[in-house]
Each structure stands twice: as structure tokens, then as C-alpha cells.
Amino acid sequence: MSPTGSLKVYYDGVCPGCRRDRARYERWAGEAGEQVTWCDVTTYQQTLRDKGIDPQAALLSLHVEDHTGRIVDGIDAYVLLMQRVPRLKPLAWLMGLPGVKAPLTWCYDRWVRRRLAREGRLPD
């Protein structure tokens, strides 16, 4: 996963925490953040479908498309984003380790489902 080229991030723009995370990322990324386009999954549902991604699945997991059109989701999507920010590179490396990635994925998936259920937006 190379930290070069443009990225499209499909994220939950309705989620206040997700919007805060986006703003923090943009602050920390500096110029690297200029190559990132943020796409709210509620607005880009047809685009997601055209790319073979169920918009409901996009609510459950962050999706990032690189400049070649390759799409990664979940923890891999976070790693791809974080690799571009110098202060987050060590954390991105750690998150990508096999012994860390699996439990982190489990925790992330559980947290997202709880948040969406609490908001009444958990997909069927």
C-alpha cells in the first residue's frame, strides 16, 4: 500500500465522530490531505453500487479507493490513510500487523455496529 496518489474515502458523513476524525486527519495530513477526496456514503450510494459495494456495507466499514481504482476497507483502509501522515505512520504499521489486525478488526466492527444500532441506522 503506497502512500502516493489520490484517494477517495467513502465514510459515514452523518456520524459526528466520523466528521471529527476527518477534520483531525485533514489537520494532521497537511498537504498530503489535499490528495484525499471525502465522499459521504449517503450521497454516493449509486457510485458505490457501480463499484460493486453495497452502500449498507459501506456504512459498516470505511472504504478507500486508491488512484488505480483498487478499493480497500476496514482496518486496511485506515492503514492506507494513516500511512500518509508522518505522526500516524508508526500506528499504521502496528495496526497492519497480523497479530494486531484481527482483534482490532473485531473491535472496530463491534463498535461500528453498536454506534449504528444506537442511532437507529444499523443495516439489516
Side-chain angles (χ1 to χ4, degrees):
M1 291 185 210
S2 172
T4 61
S6 62
L7 297 178
K8 286 185 184 173
V9 180
Y10 298 95
Y11 78 111
D12 184 0
V14 174
C15 166
C18 302
R19 290 193 312 268
R20 281 192 302 274
D21 289 346
R22 172 190 170 178
R24 184 179 308 115
Y25 179 87
E26 288 174 331
R27 270 194 322 276
W28 289 354
E31 287 183 20
E34 294 172 10
Q35 291 188 339
V36 177
T37 301
W38 297 86
C39 305
D40 181 354
V41 297
T42 58
T43 304
Y44 285 81
Q45 290 185 15
Q46 189 57 52
T47 301
L48 289 164
R49 284 187 198 96
D50 293 345
K51 294 178 182 296
I53 301 167
D54 178 1
Q56 301 279 338
L59 270 180
L60 294 170
S61 182
L62 184 72
H63 286 67
V64 175
E65 181 179 1
D66 70 14
H67 67 284
T68 68
R70 179 179 63 111
I71 297 176
V72 296
D73 68 334
I75 298 304
D76 290 332
Y78 281 98
V79 169
L80 185 59
L81 271 173
M82 294 168 72
Q83 287 176 336
R84 294 169 172 252
V85 181
R87 69 176 12 167
L88 297 177
K89 278 184 184 181
L91 184 57
W93 173 81
L94 180 65
M95 288 171 60
L97 293 174
V100 175
K101 186 176 171 182
L104 191 56
T105 296
W106 183 85
C107 291
Y108 170 74
D109 291 347
R110 192 172 157 123
W111 175 81
V112 170
R113 287 187 169 280
R114 282 185 182 169
R115 175 181 61 80
L116 290 171
R118 186 176 56 247
E119 295 170 356
R121 300 187 309 128
L122 184 65
D124 295 330

